[in-house]
Amino acid sequence: MRTPTCEEIILLWLKDRIESGELTVASHELETELVRYGKLYYDKIHNPSTYSRAWRKIRQEEKYVKVDIDQIKEVNNNQTETTWKIITEKKK
């Protein structure tokens, strides 16, 4: 079995988050939890910057539809950290 790409790891991580009812993503989670997730589940190490670039590309090119996400919206919560809301057809 081939190792998933950085982009595929993010999409799998998003899918797992949706299944567990976590419908937001904060910047620090990309830099910490996602890095651990890739290492733990796929034995693949990417640095936080690589994941951030892939995350930006996924949002810009709407590649998230591959995992049944309808939209990813930035949340304005008056904080310095950026947070995004994951919007799916079936609201969990």
Side-chain angles (χ1 to χ4, degrees), residues 29-44:
E29 293 171 321
L30 294 168
E31 296 175 0
T32 56
E33 290 180 28
L34 181 55
V35 173
R36 282 190 292 246
Y37 177 88
K39 172 67 176 147
L40 179 66
Y41 290 99
Y42 304 102
D43 199 29
K44 188 72 176 175

Side-chain angles (χ1 to χ4, degrees), residues 8 17 24 47 51 60 64 66-67 73:
E8 291 168 337
R17 288 181 68 86
T24 59
N47 63 40
Y51 279 121
Q60 288 172 345
Y64 48 80
K66 295 177 183 178
V67 289
K73 292 177 72 172

Side-chain angles (χ1 to χ4, degrees), residues 45-83:
I45 299 174
H46 293 292
N47 63 40
S49 296
T50 302
Y51 279 121
S52 292
R53 282 191 300 276
W55 171 243
R56 188 168 36 255
K57 184 177 180 182
I58 286 169
R59 291 189 338 267
Q60 288 172 345
E61 297 178 6
E62 297 184 0
K63 292 184 177 191
Y64 48 80
V65 297
K66 295 177 183 178
V67 289
D68 298 327
I69 295 174
D70 297 319
Q71 192 176 16
I72 296 178
K73 292 177 72 172
E74 191 172 322
V75 177
N76 184 4
N77 55 7
N78 295 322
Q79 304 221 349
T80 56
E81 178 180 47
T82 306
T83 303

